[in-house]
Amino acid sequence: MTNVVISGGEDGTVTALSKGLVLRADGTLASVTHLDTLRRHDGGWRISRRVISPQRTPLGGAYLAGAADR
């Protein structure tokens, strides 16, 4: 996990946006984005909702040659 950005919500929830790297079975790396909603529960924070999205386009919109073949 890297690049964690935490924002407070008006309803008492907190949103955490982060990036992650995943090592695939074939040895390649993939990038994902986590969007978590957290709520306070029993004196701590618990994830109440998580959305994991694959990063299909590299940052900046650049494409690698032959990427369509992967």
Side-chain angles (χ1 to χ4, degrees), residues 12-63:
T13 63
V14 172
T15 300
L17 177 64
S18 60
K19 305 279 181 161
L21 295 175
V22 178
L23 181 60
R24 295 179 179 172
D26 66 1
T28 61
L29 285 175
S31 176
V32 297
T33 301
H34 290 159
L35 178 58
D36 298 329
T37 302
L38 298 96
R39 294 186 185 279
R40 233 183 221 293
H41 181 71
D42 292 336
W45 291 94
R46 303 289 183 257
I47 296 173
S48 61
R49 183 171 191 256
R50 171 170 275 177
V51 177
I52 302 174
S53 303
Q55 181 72 43
R56 298 193 189 281
T57 304
L59 296 176
Y63 288 91

